[in-house]
Each structure stands twice: as structure tokens, then as C-alpha cells.
């Protein structure tokens, strides 16, 4: 076995975790291969056991999925490592203590492409057994190429929830409040906005995660002022800054 290749046992574990994530996130192998910048043939052969995963390929897949795929061979399973608890860097929470946050959320924020519109999509928060922590992944985005996934931190000290994406060092962060009595989480998104050509500009915006079960047949995509759902979504975003759950401070550079 090449020193850059995973062992047979590691290969089986990595393949099983990848198949689980593909099913959970409802994405294709081609989508994952493109996201990880590897060929579909390489991914298919590794998943089928015809070719070992290399360390470089595994790291790319871990970055694309925002999760660790490799587990120490000296331990039977992740439970032996974590005992059902997330690492301290995520808040050291147990699965039982954060079960209330798992589920599907309607996510609304201002549209970056049209300042008069609102952008709506789904975010799923779930427990990942392999990593032993909460993960999130976005679904049903109009701009599917920008779909995000990552880790969920819930520290006791701040009383807030952090949804973080880290792809090859490029990061996006959502900070939201603990759920209100009706389940909504209000906060702020910091990310990069795509401009002309390859230009990227840092941007911040209010964001709200609303339990999907509270809004039957919620419209998704770019919602314009004359479309159903706009007024309700606008009210959620307005509450974010009026209560305030998030503040946008004026300063010497403010218009």
C-alpha cells in the first residue's frame, strides 16, 4: 500500500460516511466530485472499492463536505472518541442537549442581486454521527452553485448559535439567537458577494431561520415585493434589526 493511500479499513469507513452524506444531503456524486475538484471516475472507483482513497483526495472531500471523514483505526467507532459529545471548539454539547435544534428551517435574507427582493431557501440542521457534532446544509437554493454546508457551534457563554462554513480557508459565518418561543432564530450573515468577473466583496445582512413546519408551502427563491410571502418575510427581517437581534453600527464611513 502506498503511504499516501488509506488502509482498507479506513477506506470502508470513509466510503460509508460519504454515501451517508450524499443520501442525507440529497446531492449527486457528480455534484460532490465537482465541489471537491476531483474527477467523478476517481470518486466512483474509491466508493466501489476498486481504488483506495488517497490522503489528498480524502482531504479535498472533507473540505467539500465540511466534515472529517477519517477516524482512528485504534478505536472501534466515533462514540469511543467523543462519547456522544461535540468537541470543545463547538461548545462541548451532547446530542441530547441540542436535539431541540435539529430540523428543517426556512431561511430568509435580503437578496444580494436585487436590493428590493428577499432570498429564501431551506437549511437543515442535523447530528452527524461520524463527526459527533451538529452540521447544517442548505437546500433548494435558486443559486445552487453557492449552496453551503458546515458546522454548528452552541457555546454556553455567548448564548448564540454559530453556523460556520470553511472551504479551503474561505469562511462564511451566520450568528443567530437562541430560538424564540415560536422557534425562529434571528441574526446576521457575513459572507462574500460575487460581483463582476472574479470580484468578491465582503457583505453582511440580517438573516432569519424559521421552523419549516410553521410555514406551509412557503415560497422559495428570489421573492419580489409583488409576490406572495414577501410581506411576511420582510416582517421577520425587520424584527431582526428592530428588536434588535443584530445591529449594523453607523460610523465615519457610513453614508
Amino acid at each position: 500500500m502506498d503511504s499516501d493511500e488509506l488502509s482498507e479499513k479506513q477506506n470502508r469507513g470513509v466510503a460509508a460516511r460519504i454515501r451517508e452524506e450524499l443520501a442525507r444531503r440529497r446531492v449527486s456524486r457528480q455534484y460532490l466530485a465537482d465541489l471537491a475538484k476531483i474527477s467523478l471516475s476517481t470518486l466512483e472507483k474509491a466508493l466501489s472499492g476498486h481504488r483506495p482513497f488517497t490522503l489528498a483526495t480524502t482531504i479535498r472531500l472533507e473540505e467539500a463536505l465540511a466534515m472529517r471523514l477519517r477516524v482512528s483505526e485504534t478505536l472501534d467507532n466515533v462514540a469511543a472518541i467523543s462519547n456522544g459529545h461535540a468537541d470543545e471548539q463547538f461548545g462541548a454539547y451532547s446530542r441530547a442537549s441540542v436535539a431541540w435544534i435539529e430540523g428543517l428551517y426556512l431561511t430568509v435574507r435580503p437578496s444580494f442581486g436585487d436590493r428590493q427582493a428577499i432570498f429564501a431557501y431551506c437549511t437543515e440542521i442535523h447530528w452527524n454521527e461520524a463527526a459527533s457534532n451538529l452540521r447544517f446544509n442548505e437546500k433548494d437554493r435558486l443559486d445552487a452553485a453557492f449552496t453551503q454546508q458546515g458546522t454548528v457551534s452552541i457555546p454556553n457563554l455567548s448564548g448564540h448559535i454559530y453556523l460556520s462554513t470553511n472551504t479551503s480557508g474561505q469562511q462564511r459565518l451566520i450568528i443567530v439567537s437562541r430560538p424564540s418561543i415560536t422557534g425562529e432564530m434571528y441574526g446576521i450573515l457575513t459572507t462574500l458577494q460575487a460581483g463582476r468577473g472574479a470580484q468578491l466583496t465582503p457583505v453582511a445582512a440580517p438573516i432569519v431561520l424559521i421552523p419549516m413546519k410553521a410555514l406551509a408551502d412557503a415560497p422559495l427563491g428570489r421573492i419580489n415585493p409583488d409576490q406572495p410571502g414577501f410581506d411576511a418575510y420582510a416582517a421577520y427581517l425587520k424584527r431582526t434589526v428592530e428588536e434588535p437581534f443584530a445591529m449594523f453600527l453607523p460610523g465615519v464611513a457610513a453614508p
Side-chain angles (χ1 to χ4, degrees):
M1 181 183 71
D2 192 299
S3 60
D4 187 44
E5 295 176 352
L6 304 190
S7 69
E8 183 179 350
K9 183 176 180 179
Q10 287 176 319
N11 267 284
R12 290 198 301 268
V14 168
R17 283 184 281 281
I18 290 174
R19 286 193 290 267
E20 177 186 346
E21 287 303 305
L22 289 172
R24 186 191 301 278
R25 303 182 191 196
R26 290 180 287 181
V27 297
S28 68
R29 294 183 178 187
Q30 180 68 67
Y31 176 85
L32 176 57
D34 292 343
L35 197 63
K37 296 181 174 59
I38 62 174
S39 71
L40 177 60
S41 174
T42 295
L43 179 60
E44 294 278 10
K45 289 178 180 178
L47 288 177
S48 65
H50 289 93
R51 174 187 296 175
F53 284 98
T54 64
L55 181 59
T57 296
T58 306
I59 290 173
R60 288 192 177 192
L61 289 164
E62 289 178 333
E63 291 177 344
L65 292 168
M67 64 176 290
R68 185 169 178 81
L69 296 170
R70 293 161 291 163
V71 177
S72 173
E73 290 186 278
T74 62
L75 297 167
D76 290 334
N77 51 49
V78 174
I81 303 173
S82 62
N83 196 29
H85 285 71
D87 191 81
E88 186 177 356
Q89 65 177 311
F90 303 116
Y93 50 76
S94 67
R95 181 173 189 179
S97 69
V98 296
W100 49 268
I101 199 176
E102 292 187 73
L104 194 62
Y105 294 84
L106 171 69
T107 306
V108 296
R109 61 162 172 79
S111 169
F112 295 156
D114 181 352
R115 294 192 179 186
Q116 302 302 314
I118 292 173
F119 200 64
Y121 53 92
C122 297
T123 299
E124 181 185 25
I125 297 177
H126 64 272
W127 182 265
N128 184 284
E129 290 286 356
S132 192
N133 59 25
L134 287 172
R135 300 280 171 158
F136 78 92
N137 57 284
E138 298 174 348
K139 301 178 178 181
D140 303 320
R141 281 187 57 152
L142 184 64
D143 53 348
F146 295 96
T147 297
Q148 304 281 328
Q149 56 270 321
T151 59
V152 180
S153 300
I154 309 181
N156 287 322
L157 293 177
S158 73
H160 282 73
I161 298 163
Y162 302 77
L163 282 68
S164 177
T165 299
N166 185 335
T167 304
S168 300
Q170 182 169 299
Q171 302 189 35
R172 188 194 75 161
L173 179 64
I174 295 173
I175 305 176
V176 290
S177 64
R178 298 292 180 113
S180 67
I181 193 170
T182 48
E184 302 92 9
M185 295 183 285
Y186 299 84
I188 189 170
L189 161 70
T190 58
T191 187
L192 296 174
Q193 178 182 1
R196 296 181 177 178
Q199 181 182 1
L200 296 172
T201 304
V203 62
I207 191 167
V208 187
L209 275 67
I210 308 154
M212 187 62 80
K213 60 185 179 183
L215 293 174
D217 301 319
L220 303 176
R222 184 177 290 109
I223 312 300
N224 296 310
D226 59 347
Q227 291 181 286
F230 179 88
D231 291 341
Y233 293 174
Y236 281 116
L237 292 175
K238 189 175 181 181
R239 184 183 180 193
T240 303
V241 295
E242 285 190 347
E243 293 243 348
F245 290 97
M247 298 178 65
F248 297 85
L249 298 178
V252 294

